[in-house]
Amino acid sequence: NAGGIAEMAELGKEIRDITDTLDAAGNTTAAIGKGFAIGSAALVSLSLFGAYITRVAKVLNVAGPDGKPLPPTVNVLQPIVFAFLLIGAMLPYWFSALTMKSVGIAAKAMVQEVRYQFETIEGIMENRAKPDYKRCVEISTQASLREMIAPGALVILSPIITGFVFGVHALTGLLAGSLVSGVQMAISSSNTGGAWDNAKKYVEKGCVYVDGVVQAKGSEIHKAAVVGDTVGDPLKDTSGPALNIVMKLMAILSLVFADFFNTFNDGEGLINWTQDTIAK
């Protein structure tokens, strides 16, 4: 924010250089801090997953050689568990794609509004007239609510539909897959986004040379760095942090609805794809 204010206020280059350095340091610090948040979310999700397993223990219990029930276990070799393990691993990527697309849609709407105001409100560039800031805030607020409907529905409905239709075995695979994949995706998004943002600043500071020529603003390398930053910002500021909520919310919903899932065919879901049925 300080860098943006300095540029809009047309302060000297030396001020902008200082704010760029601070911004790059802030991106690195934020990436480190997000790592702790991701680790915390992973541990919370793992704890909730264990609580869910305990809640549906009577469905997951398997008799040992002596006929006594063993502790509740999850067998990934079961076809229904393995299938939903793969589906769960894909959910964080689907969620990230939806959120990044939403950022692009909101940004496009904002650019169109800015262009419209430049064309219809005379004197903005000469400081003789003020832009309609309220309209820009409305676009941002409405887009933030509207565009989160699909990602939110994906996270909320996935465990509910899986447990209700396919049973608790399928849901254990879904949770395990989304947890492992979500941690990896969150770490990758936070670090990659920060790296691309800093790469653009590195180019703009004149630190990149090709055949002895400085690749500053306006060069092809700078254009490529801007494209990377355009992708990196929603990665580190939207998709990465939101995946923490994905991991925890799916586990919480599964735990809350665990007793509800157990009421349908003893936890086998509406379809009742029991392992005996699959074997036959």
Side-chain angles (χ1 to χ4, degrees):
N1 287 348
I5 293 172
E7 188 167 354
M8 289 187 291
E10 299 181 356
L11 299 180
K13 182 179 181 298
E14 65 279 1
I15 302 298
R16 195 69 178 96
D17 290 341
I18 294 174
T19 57
D20 283 345
T21 303
L22 293 174
D23 193 2
N27 286 333
T28 304
T29 305
I32 296 173
K34 289 174 183 175
F36 288 100
I38 294 167
S40 172
L43 292 176
V44 171
S45 301
L46 183 61
S47 300
L48 292 170
F49 178 73
Y52 165 78
I53 295 298
T54 303
R55 196 72 174 176
V56 297
K58 68 175 184 179
V59 181
L60 301 176
N61 277 341
V62 179
D66 56 356
K68 295 182 179 180
L70 298 174
T73 56
V74 178
N75 185 5
V76 296
L77 296 180
Q78 293 178 349
I80 192 69
V81 176
F82 184 76
F84 277 88
L85 186 71
L86 298 179
I87 295 174
M90 290 186 287
L91 286 182
Y93 292 90
W94 188 1
F95 178 86
S96 297
L98 289 175
T99 53
M100 293 187 66
K101 184 178 179 181
S102 299
V103 172
I105 293 173
K108 183 178 180 180
M110 188 69 71
V111 170
Q112 291 175 344
E113 176 62 24
V114 171
R115 286 178 175 174
Y116 173 77
Q117 292 192 22
F118 278 140
E119 295 173 356
T120 57
I121 303 176
E122 297 182 0
I124 291 181
M125 297 301 294
E126 295 80 15
N127 291 327
R128 292 187 288 104
K130 286 187 176 182
D132 186 2
Y133 298 112
K134 182 180 178 181
R135 177 57 187 156
C136 293
V137 174
E138 287 179 355
I139 291 175
S140 179
T141 304
Q142 292 173 1
S144 65
L145 296 175
R146 181 183 64 251
E147 295 299 329
M148 281 308 296
I149 293 176
L154 174 66
V155 176
I156 294 173
L157 296 179
S158 293
I160 295 177
I161 292 176
T162 301
F164 178 65
V165 178
F166 298 97
V168 297
H169 289 90
L171 186 51
T172 55
L174 187 82
L175 292 177
S178 64
L179 172 59
V180 175
S181 179
V183 171
Q184 179 272 329
M185 187 66 180
I187 295 174
S188 176
S189 298
S190 298
N191 288 279
T192 302
W196 280 340
D197 194 352
N198 287 351
K200 186 194 72 170
K201 292 179 174 57
Y202 191 72
V203 174
E204 291 176 346
K205 286 180 69 67
C207 299
V208 178
Y209 293 83
V210 176
D211 297 329
V213 179
V214 178
Q215 303 298 305
K217 284 187 177 181
S219 64
E220 292 300 318
I221 289 183
H222 179 255
K223 293 177 182 178
V226 170
V227 173
D229 185 38
T230 304
V231 179
D233 278 341
L235 264 179
K236 69 183 179 66
D237 296 328
T238 304
S239 298
L243 285 171
N244 296 343
I245 309 300
V246 171
M247 292 184 286
K248 290 187 285 189
L249 185 57
M250 289 183 65
I252 290 173
L253 288 171
S254 301
L255 178 60
V256 170
F257 286 92
D259 291 336
F260 173 71
F261 299 147
N262 276 335
T263 60
F264 292 93
N265 294 320
D266 292 329
E268 299 296 343
L270 289 181
I271 295 182
N272 195 17
W273 279 6
T274 62
Q275 301 308 307
D276 294 339
T277 303
I278 294 174
K280 293 178 181 178

